[in-house]
Amino acid sequence: MVLELFRLDGRVALVTGGNRGIGAALASGLSAAGATVAVVSRSKPESGFTWFPADLADVDADTLVDQVTGTFGRLDVLVNNAGIIRRADAVDTTDRDWDAVIGVDLDAVFRLCRAAGKVMLAQGRGSIINVASMLSFQGGIRVPAYAAAKHGVVGLTKALANEWAAGGVNVNAIAPGYIATDNTVALRADAQRNAAIVERIPAGRWGVPEDLAGTAVFLASEAARYLHGAVIPVDGGWLAR
Ligand code: NAP
């Protein structure tokens, strides 16, 4: 039965930024498919998922992954979702803002992949899902560090897929389009920018976090066992335009 391939019973999933926004929807989707879900964030999730508090700006990824495997005995799915954005013209972007964005959106992603990858390679199985962006493909407007980090996430995803596919570890990415979360409040508050965005989305609306959950379940599951290094846009058709 092909639907059985999508079940995640017995799998342990760690979702960074799983307390709100896109991460919360991905965590709920993985849980509904049968996974045991743990969440990493600075503020406490309202969901009942096991919470591992950590600031990804300064994370000891090996210790964090040790805590998860110490609690659950294994780690099958890592979703690198947590991310931040700082908006400014490139000439006004401070070193501090650049470092903050690269630190959370790219450095922490690599460190968590490395730590989880060791565990998954030893298990002979695992799935890593990195959350990319439309700005993994485009330069965006006034978000140079974010665009650089998200391009980096795609390069990292492909590099790790090359290394780890033969070891049974699937590394792929989801590239969300324009999704209504805290991260995009400023865009939606700017009536002109909001109208321009919606007008360019073939689906004719902003996405909601729940639009991404099915893709995460798929990528975490046996159904995606031969998928390596893919970047799946879930964008209402934005990139096709
Ligand atoms: P969001 O609503 O602003 O949520 C960001 C999440 O990241 C929160 O759970 C936050 O938790 C966590 N986080 C941020 N900094 C952290 C830190 N230093 N340590 C630990 N956790 C941290 O954003 P979102 O829109 O859901 O975005 C989630 C991901 O999707 C990001 O990677 C973003 O770049 C990507 N994305 C979003 C969109 C969009 O349109 N919304 C589009 C493309 C890609 P705490 O604050 O509690 O720590």
Side-chain angles (χ1 to χ4, degrees), residues 70-148:
T71 304
F72 298 109
R74 53 188 299 111
L75 176 58
D76 301 287
V77 181
L78 167 66
V79 183
N80 277 309
N81 161 80
I84 57 171
I85 194 163
R86 301 272 164 90
R87 298 176 198 279
D89 291 342
V91 289
D92 298 325
T93 295
T94 61
D95 288 350
R96 197 185 160 101
D97 280 347
W98 176 272
D99 291 344
V101 172
I102 299 291
V104 174
D105 294 7
L106 185 57
D107 293 345
V109 173
F110 170 64
R111 289 178 186 138
L112 280 167
C113 284
R114 184 176 56 191
K118 286 180 202 163
V119 172
M120 293 175 180
L121 288 167
Q123 290 173 173
R125 193 189 184 286
S127 300
I128 295 178
I129 303 166
N130 292 325
V131 176
S133 168
M134 292 298 96
L135 301 196
S136 297
F137 308 100
Q138 303 172 325
I141 301 170
R142 303 181 71 245
V143 286
Y146 184 82

Side-chain angles (χ1 to χ4, degrees), residues 14-234:
L14 180 65
V15 182
T16 71
N19 56 332
R20 59 189 167 92
I22 291 171
L26 301 187
S28 295
L30 295 172
S31 170
T36 298
V37 174
V39 163
V40 178
S41 56
R42 292 167 301 182
S43 41
K44 195 169 191 284
E46 283 172 20
S47 66
F49 300 132
T50 306
W51 179 43
F52 293 94
D55 185 345
L56 296 174
D58 180 25
V59 68
D60 179 340
D62 288 306
T63 300
L64 180 60
V65 168
D66 279 351
Q67 286 172 344
V68 175
T69 55
T71 304
F72 298 109
R74 53 188 299 111
L75 176 58
D76 301 287
V77 181
L78 167 66
V79 183
N80 277 309
N81 161 80
I84 57 171
I85 194 163
R86 301 272 164 90
R87 298 176 198 279
D89 291 342
V91 289
D92 298 325
T93 295
T94 61
D95 288 350
R96 197 185 160 101
D97 280 347
W98 176 272
D99 291 344
V101 172
I102 299 291
V104 174
D105 294 7
L106 185 57
D107 293 345
V109 173
F110 170 64
R111 289 178 186 138
L112 280 167
C113 284
R114 184 176 56 191
K118 286 180 202 163
V119 172
M120 293 175 180
L121 288 167
Q123 290 173 173
R125 193 189 184 286
S127 300
I128 295 178
I129 303 166
N130 292 325
V131 176
S133 168
M134 292 298 96
L135 301 196
S136 297
F137 308 100
Q138 303 172 325
I141 301 170
R142 303 181 71 245
V143 286
Y146 184 82
K150 292 297 186 179
H151 275 69
V153 164
V154 166
L156 176 64
T157 299
K158 293 177 181 174
L160 298 180
N162 287 341
E163 280 197 38
W164 295 349
V169 178
N170 299 77
V171 188
N172 294 292
I174 297 175
Y178 284 77
I179 312 295
T181 67
D182 294 347
N183 178 300
T184 49
V185 166
L187 297 181
R188 279 173 288 119
D190 176 340
Q192 228 176 348
R193 188 77 199 283
N194 184 53
I197 288 170
V198 173
E199 195 275 327
R200 195 193 178 289
I201 300 172
R205 65 164 175 89
W206 278 77
V208 293
E210 291 71 23
D211 289 329
L212 300 154
T215 308
V217 169
F218 165 58
L219 288 176
S221 76
E222 197 59 22
R225 65 187 167 213
Y226 200 56
L227 215 75
H228 295 281
V231 184
I232 303 183
V234 183

